[in-house]
Amino acid sequence: KAGVTQTPRYLIKTRGQQVTLSCSPISGHRSVSWYQQTPGQGLQFLFEYFSETQRNKGNFPGRFSGRQFSNSRSEMNVSTLELGDSALYLCASSLGGGSNSPLHFGNGTRLTVT
Amino acid sequence: AQKITQTQPGMFVQEKEAVTLDCTYDTSDQSYGLFWYKQPSSGEMIFLIYQGSYDEQNATEGRYSLNFQKARKSANLVISASQLGDSAMYFCAMRGEYNFNKFYFGSGTKLNVKP
């Protein structure tokens, strides 16, 4: 069974630009979550989608948005990039959110904003 | 609100020895799940082990075991017979009762296994 696939692996963008990251979950997984990882703030939850609906949202500005398609694939968009958005963005999928259902992570997209 | 605390930024262990990585948590939820993840330098987060708040037995998965002490709100990871490939960052995480897939992560422990 294929794991969670994130594309691209690396991105370099300039301040003010926007970026779209893509995530394909494990087959059969309907929940997709996004996390931002930085050395200073650690792993922070961005949002979660389940059956195309945003089910939970973290404390990030509105410049961060996402969506999920009918095939459970998800995209995350960051507009008007700032230097502080440089981070590893991790996507995770799971079956649904039962208490014992772990998140399965992709390799991440490393975003550098210059 | 949920909070995970990992107080060991870095640890060293000799190959083939056992090591314990500490994790304490804070929650007012009655039902919750505790997870440990490994993150090698490549970046991918690898799920290791899960413990439910109502599980009476400590979870075990191969060389990994979770020392769950509910009254102390601790969920320490024990790695037996350390291998060089165990060198990585280790994160403790929690999912609360109503959080769906919003996990709370600790700051991590960098484990170095010495030959």
Side-chain angles (χ1 to χ4, degrees):
Chain A
K1 208 175 199 181
V4 177
T5 304
Q6 289 187 248
T7 57
R9 285 298 308 276
Y10 302 94
L11 267 178
I12 300 175
K13 291 286 187 178
T14 305
R15 270 180 304 176
Q17 288 185 317
Q18 75 164 17
V19 67
T20 299
L21 312 182
S22 181
C23 173
S24 293
I26 291 172
S27 177
H29 285 190
R30 295 165 65 189
S31 167
V32 175
S33 307
W34 289 88
Y35 288 79
Q36 182 197 64
Q37 186 177 25
T38 59
Q41 300 297 317
L43 279 147
Q44 295 188 91
F45 173 78
L46 281 154
F47 30 65
E48 183 212 359
Y49 288 86
F50 183 84
S51 293
E52 301 179 66
T53 301
Q54 188 180 85
R55 191 160 69 167
N56 215 334
K57 190 177 188 305
N59 297 322
F60 279 81
R63 300 185 297 106
F64 292 81
S65 63
R67 59 178 176 169
Q68 187 180 33
F69 302 95
S70 58
N71 61 358
S72 292
R73 191 177 70 85
S74 177
E75 288 183 346
M76 189 190 98
N77 184 275
V78 188
S79 62
T80 320
L81 283 165
E82 300 177 0
L83 294 178
D85 297 335
S86 294
L88 179 66
Y89 289 89
L90 290 162
C91 169
S93 74
S94 77
L95 284 169
S99 62
N100 64 344
S101 178
L103 296 178
H104 298 272
F105 286 86
N107 287 325
T109 293
R110 188 165 295 281
L111 172 65
T112 302
V113 182
T114 62
Chain B
Q2 337 284 347
K3 187 177 179 182
I4 295 281
T5 303
Q6 293 180 256
T7 57
Q8 306 154 313
M11 289 191 70
F12 285 90
V13 65
Q14 203 69 38
E15 193 179 8
K16 298 181 185 176
E17 290 185 350
V19 63
T20 298
L21 307 183
D22 295 341
C23 172
T24 58
Y25 61 92
D26 190 22
T27 181
S28 55
D29 291 352
Q30 296 301 308
S31 175
Y32 50 88
L34 296 158
F35 302 78
W36 276 92
Y37 284 85
K38 171 184 178 182
Q39 187 178 41
S41 54
S42 58
E44 183 184 2
M45 297 279 283
I46 301 167
F47 166 66
L48 295 177
I49 195 166
Y50 160 81
Q51 179 84 41
S53 58
Y54 290 117
D55 294 341
E56 294 184 355
Q57 304 265 10
N58 285 340
T60 59
E61 288 287 349
R63 293 186 300 110
Y64 304 108
S65 61
L66 201 152
N67 184 359
F68 180 48
Q69 298 188 47
K70 194 170 181 177
R72 293 186 176 185
K73 291 190 174 179
S74 75
N76 298 338
L77 177 70
V78 180
I79 305 175
S80 63
S82 297
Q83 302 172 356
L84 295 178
D86 293 335
S87 294
M89 281 290 289
Y90 288 81
F91 292 94
C92 180
M94 179 170 67
R95 173 203 272 131
E97 190 166 7
Y98 307 107
N99 291 145
F100 300 115
N101 279 326
K102 181 178 182 178
F103 277 45
Y104 293 84
F105 285 85
S107 55
T109 296
K110 178 92 166 84
L111 178 67
N112 286 291
V113 181
K114 298 186 292 184

